[in-house]
């Protein structure tokens, strides 16, 4: 009986030990989280002004730019835009058309050439004309490095009065890289054909491979030339400039004019138009005075001859009467 009671007590003690162990194991995570939570809540207090070295505790700051793969300084310098953006490898052709006025044509044309050289560009085409009005004009096509395109458009306004401007940018990235891919394919094909030609034995195979090589070489040359043309257009922007010499520069109203302004402008333009007409008429007389003088002499000679010969007048009158006879009036019939 004592042995049976002792066995029951040992069994109960063993069960109690097992339950205690299970309770401790299940309670460990909770205790750990509460401890860590307590530590997190108490750490600022412990590391605050009461800290030995007097420093404040601060969590570690996470830099998103480092996680995205580009440096923080470059990322901040680019205004939040990654340096390897889509436009870095884009192939864009920039063009612009300008119309300019100037009262000093020679100086403006010279300053334009100087500005093109300073920007690292060159003059592709230039022509000048001087019509009978005396005002000169010129047409220029200049090539400017694409990196200096905007700077050139801002600077050219300082040497002349711009009356019209348009600019455009054509993205040819798709055409460019497609041509480049086809060029790589043709060069690979050419290498393979040359390898086949080196192993060819029959004359028929040699002739066939040589014809294929010639066609492939032609395709390579055409594609290479197309890429060179694209590079030239992309690297250097094209700017067409039409320069006109005028007596006075045209102005643009920044604000809507009032009635008095419009009336005054109308009087000024009317008077200026009349002066321009007189100037143009005087220039016309200066060009045509010889012909006008000859016509005047001829008219005076004809008048003198007619007055000295009355027979000419009589003959002219008789001829007129004969060509236009008067019809007799119809009288009453008897």
């Amino acid at each position: 009986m004592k042995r049976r009671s002792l066995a029951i007590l040992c069994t109960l003690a063993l069960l109690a030990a097992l339950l205690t162990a299970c309770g401790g194991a299940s309670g460990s995570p909770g205790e750990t989280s509460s401890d860590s939570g307590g530590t997190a809540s108490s750490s600022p207090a412990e590391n605050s002004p009461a800290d030995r070295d007097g420093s404040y505790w601060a969590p570690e700051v996470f830099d998103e730019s480092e996680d995205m793969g580009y440096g923080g300084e470059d990322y901040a310098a680019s205004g939040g835009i990654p340096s390897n953006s889509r436009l870095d490898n884009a192939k864009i052709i920039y063009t612009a058309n300008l119309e300019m006025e100037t009262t000093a044509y020679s100086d403006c044309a010279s300053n334009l050439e100087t500005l093109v050289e300073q920007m690292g560009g060159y003059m592709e085409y230039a022509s000048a004309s001087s019509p009978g009005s005396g005002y000169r004009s010129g047409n220029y096509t200049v090539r400017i490095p694409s990196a200096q395109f905007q700077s050139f458009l801002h600077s050219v306004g300082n040497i002349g009065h711009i009356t019209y401007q348009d600019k455009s940018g054509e993205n040819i990235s798709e055409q460019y890289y497609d041509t480049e891919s086809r060029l790589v394919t043709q060069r690979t094909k050419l290498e393979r054909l040359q390898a086949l030609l080196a192993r060819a034995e029959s004359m028929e195979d040699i002739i066939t491979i040589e014809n294929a090589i010639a066609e492939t070489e032609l395709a390579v040359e055409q594609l290479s030339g197309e890429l060179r043309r694209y590079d030239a257009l992309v690297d250097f922007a094209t700017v067409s400039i039409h320069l006109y010499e005028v007596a006075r520069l045209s102005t643009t109203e920044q604000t809507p004019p009032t009635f008095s302004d419009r009336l005054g402008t109308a009087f000024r333009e009317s008077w200026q138009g009349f002066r321009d007409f007189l100037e143009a008429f005087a220039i016309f007389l200066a060009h045509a005075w010889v012909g006008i003088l000859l016509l005047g002499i001829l008219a005076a000679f004809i008048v003198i001859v007619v007055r000295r010969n009355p027979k000419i007048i009589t003959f002219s009158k008789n001829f007129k009467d004969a060509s236009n006879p008067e019809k007799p009036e119809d009288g009453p019939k008897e």
Side-chain angles (χ1 to χ4, degrees), residues 19-50:
L19 291 174
T20 303
C22 291
S26 61
S28 297
E31 292 174 0
T32 304
S33 61
S34 62
D35 291 343
S36 60
T39 303
S41 60
S42 61
S43 293
E46 294 176 358
N47 295 325
S48 58

Side-chain angles (χ1 to χ4, degrees), residues 217-253:
E217 288 177 344
L218 179 61
V220 169
E221 292 177 1
Q222 292 176 346
L223 294 173
S224 299
E226 190 172 356
L227 282 181
R228 287 193 296 269
R229 183 176 66 86
Y230 282 153
D231 288 334
L233 294 174
V234 169
D235 294 341
F236 283 81
T238 304
V239 182
S240 300
I241 302 174
H242 307 280
L243 180 62
Y244 302 98
E245 185 180 24
V246 294
R248 64 186 185 280
L249 300 178
S250 61
T251 57
T252 17
E253 296 288 345

Side-chain angles (χ1 to χ4, degrees), residues 173-320:
S173 301
E174 184 177 355
Q175 301 95 307
Y176 184 91
Y177 291 116
D178 179 66
T179 303
E180 190 176 49
S181 177
R182 286 190 285 128
L183 178 60
V184 172
T185 302
Q186 292 296 327
R187 285 176 174 172
T188 304
K189 178 182 176 182
L190 181 60
E191 293 176 358
R192 293 176 179 176
L193 288 173
Q194 290 173 347
L196 289 175
L197 181 62
R199 297 195 303 267
E201 298 179 355
S202 64
M203 184 60 63
E204 182 179 359
D205 293 342
I206 292 175
I207 294 174
T208 303
I209 296 174
E210 286 181 347
N211 291 334
I213 288 176
E215 294 177 358
T216 307
E217 288 177 344
L218 179 61
V220 169
E221 292 177 1
Q222 292 176 346
L223 294 173
S224 299
E226 190 172 356
L227 282 181
R228 287 193 296 269
R229 183 176 66 86
Y230 282 153
D231 288 334
L233 294 174
V234 169
D235 294 341
F236 283 81
T238 304
V239 182
S240 300
I241 302 174
H242 307 280
L243 180 62
Y244 302 98
E245 185 180 24
V246 294
R248 64 186 185 280
L249 300 178
S250 61
T251 57
T252 17
E253 296 288 345
Q254 300 296 332
T255 57
T258 62
F259 174 76
S260 59
D261 294 336
R262 293 167 58 189
L263 188 62
T265 302
F267 277 112
R268 287 194 300 270
E269 290 181 351
S270 177
W271 172 247
Q272 187 62 41
F274 180 69
R275 291 179 55 186
D276 294 342
F277 169 75
L278 292 180
E279 291 178 1
F281 184 70
I283 293 174
F284 168 75
L285 291 179
H287 282 287
W289 70 271
V290 176
I292 295 174
L293 180 62
L294 291 177
L295 288 176
I297 294 174
L298 180 60
F301 176 76
I302 292 174
V303 171
I304 293 173
V305 170
V306 169
R307 286 183 177 179
R308 289 184 178 182
N309 295 278
K311 294 181 180 180
I312 297 176
I313 301 176
T314 305
F315 175 78
S316 176
K317 184 177 181 181
N318 293 335
F319 180 78
K320 183 178 180 181

Side-chain angles (χ1 to χ4, degrees), residues 42-65:
S42 61
S43 293
E46 294 176 358
N47 295 325
S48 58
D51 198 11
R52 294 181 179 179
D53 56 357
S55 61
Y56 288 87
W57 174 87
E60 183 179 358
V61 179
F62 175 70
D63 189 358
E64 294 182 357
S65 61

